[in-house]
Amino acid sequence: MTLLHSRPTQFQKIVLRHDWKVEEIKDLLEQPLMDLLWHAQCVHREANPGYKVQLASLLSVKTGGCEEDCAYCPQSIHSSSDVTGQSDLSVEPVLNRARAAKEAGADRFCMGWAWREIRDGASFDAMLSMVRGVRDLGLEACVTAGMLTDDQAKRLAQAGLTAYNHNLDTSPEHYDKIISTRTYQERLETLQRVRSAGITICCGGIIGMGESITDRASLLCILANMDPHPESIPINSLVAVEGTPLENLSSVDPLEMVRMVATTRIIMPNSRVRLSAGREQLNREAQILCLQAGADSIFYGESLLTTSNPAVMADRELLAKAGVNVNWDLND
Ligand code: SAM
Ligand code: DTB
Ligand code: SF4
């Protein structure tokens, strides 16, 4: 493949497309890196000229004991790493954590429940109170809790939920090598319910689970052909947790993350691309390349759901070094 010598003009104006083909996306993923970076940056600068990065904090409200068998997940009962014995957090402690996240500079608060699906009852009522409380603090609220019904989506919307996170994780072709307890179609149906209720969609995937480049292109193609595009797209790289079926997979080349982020930015110009799990495996320079290539959000705070995330001070330093814009004063 030859290098481009002129600016990728077709992308000087933001064009939103919903008719992507897997092959086109695969070609982007495999472009010479210099071209891919240039291309992604042209799009990113047009869509987000201020290089504003959103800080999202994450908290696990209900940890472990999940009936699904997602091969990457330490919270599945099918994995020997299942984190059992932790009781669910109640409303007040969760809101205290949200307040602390806000004080540390986050403007989105994401809450996770290790459930296959939401059931009505006290836990769901508590979830609604948490959403209301987080919104009252002036933060965006995001929930991830498995499948839901139309009525539950409506109630979450009424509580003010900003976004529902429900990842497709990988391609439909690779899906049954990773998860056997649910179908891709069920995942898509939940996303449709979320959309119909008027909640924004946070939907992305994981790289490093033995998938091919075509699988990555196939996942991105499904996301890019949604109309509208998911407002938020988390790109995770596998955190290979001991006791999970994927524990022995080696971590992905950081440049694969850069390529995934850049391609996501090119095909979904106005979406938030969140550099998610696996940042601890990326050095400072690789993270800065991801920010340059189009990542405009990170998980901020010392833990993800059950695994660790870079330290807050390290992230502050990183963002200051990169010269991107966040809500807090980097000099304090
Ligand atoms: N049970 C809900 C669900 O599956 O939608 C919500 C929680 S689940 C842990 C949220 C997302 O975290 C998953 O879809 C997956 O993309 C990501 N995730 C979980 N374990 C991971 C790991 N070990 N490495 C990278 N991403 C992971
Ligand atoms: C997403 O795509 N990544 C976050 C969030 N959405 C919920 C979760 C990452 C979890 C990583 C493994 C863990 O900490 O358990
Ligand atoms: Fe359960 Fe979600 Fe983990 Fe799958 S990813 S095992 S659904 S908590």
Side-chain angles (χ1 to χ4, degrees):
M1 218 172 264
T2 50
L3 277 169
L4 287 177
H5 293 293
S6 59
R7 194 169 186 259
T9 46
Q10 69 271 38
F11 292 100
Q12 280 172 21
K13 282 272 161 294
I14 297 287
V15 184
L16 295 180
R17 284 182 49 195
H18 304 279
D19 60 352
W20 288 92
K21 302 274 175 294
V22 173
E23 274 310 311
E24 281 178 279
I25 299 176
K26 186 166 178 269
D27 287 348
L28 287 172
L29 281 167
E30 291 179 325
Q31 265 189 306
L33 187 61
M34 291 302 132
D35 286 342
L36 179 61
L37 285 175
W38 189 15
H39 191 162
Q41 251 202 295
C42 290
V43 176
H44 193 40
R45 282 183 167 265
E46 186 84 19
N48 179 3
Y51 270 78
K52 199 171 174 307
V53 172
Q54 184 188 52
L55 305 180
S57 284
L58 188 53
L59 178 66
S60 182
V61 178
K62 192 269 174 187
T63 308
C66 182
E67 297 148 27
E68 302 268 31
D69 68 354
C70 312
Y72 49 79
C73 187
Q75 303 197 66
S76 162
I77 52 170
H78 304 271
S79 117
S80 63
S81 60
D82 180 27
V83 208
T84 46
Q86 295 192 31
S87 49
D88 300 4
L89 299 179
S90 57
V91 179
E92 241 353 272
V94 169
L95 295 183
N96 288 339
R97 292 287 291 271
R99 219 168 278 119
K102 183 182 167 147
E103 276 158 23
D107 58 7
R108 181 160 167 132
F109 193 69
C110 309
M111 297 165 279
W113 281 257
W115 286 338
R116 170 174 162 75
E117 67 228 314
I118 298 180
R119 294 191 188 116
D120 291 324
S123 303
F124 183 53
D125 294 341
M127 181 189 292
L128 295 174
S129 302
M130 291 169 196
V131 170
R132 278 189 287 266
V134 169
R135 296 297 282 138
D136 286 346
L137 289 169
L139 293 166
E140 291 184 6
C142 178
V143 160
T144 181
M147 295 183 261
L148 42 63
T149 63
D150 285 320
D151 185 58
Q152 290 162 343
K154 222 173 284 160
R155 291 175 70 194
L156 283 165
Q158 279 160 2
L161 186 67
T162 314
Y164 195 78
N165 166 249
H166 202 64
N167 291 341
L168 287 170
D169 285 325
T170 189
S171 67
E173 299 76 26
H174 193 58
Y175 208 65
D176 62 3
K177 295 186 192 69
I178 303 297
I179 299 156
S180 76
T181 48
R182 62 165 182 256
T183 63
Y184 216 75
Q185 188 54 33
E186 284 175 308
R187 235 30 204 176
L188 292 169
E189 282 165 14
T190 291
L191 290 168
Q192 192 46 53
R193 292 195 173 104
V194 170
R195 180 59 82 205
S196 302
I199 301 167
T200 68
I201 289 181
C202 173
C203 182
I206 308 176
I207 65 167
M209 301 196 295
E211 75 286 346
S212 64
I213 305 296
T214 306
D215 287 316
R216 292 178 194 167
S218 169
L219 165 67
L220 289 180
C221 192
I222 288 167
L223 297 174
N225 290 342
M226 289 179 180
D227 188 5
H229 292 150
E231 285 76 6
S232 157
I233 305 158
I235 304 293
N236 298 275
S237 79
L238 177 73
V239 179
V241 181
E242 219 183 300
T244 61
L246 303 185
E247 67 179 346
N248 291 323
L249 289 192
S250 45
S251 49
V252 293
D253 178 342
L255 292 179
E256 295 293 301
M257 264 314 251
V258 175
R259 285 182 176 279
M260 194 70 182
V261 165
T263 303
T264 306
R265 171 55 61 216
I266 291 166
I267 63 179
M268 291 172 276
N270 291 335
S271 300
R272 202 167 258 145
V273 179
R274 197 180 323 280
L275 190 53
S276 302
R279 271 201 305 121
E280 284 192 319
Q281 277 82 60
L282 302 180
N283 66 15
R284 184 182 67 169
E285 290 72 17
Q287 292 186 68
I288 289 178
L289 272 181
C290 288
L291 292 169
Q292 191 178 29
D296 59 358
S297 174
I298 57 168
F299 280 120
Y300 176 68
E302 256 122 77
S303 60
L304 293 169
L305 292 172
T306 65
T307 64
S308 59
N309 197 42
V312 161
M313 284 319 290
D315 275 346
R316 284 178 161 248
E317 215 174 285
L318 169 83
L319 295 163
K321 280 267 172 3
V324 295
N325 292 305
V326 282
N327 274 343
W328 31 265
D329 179 7
L330 286 167
N331 300 317
D332 67 13

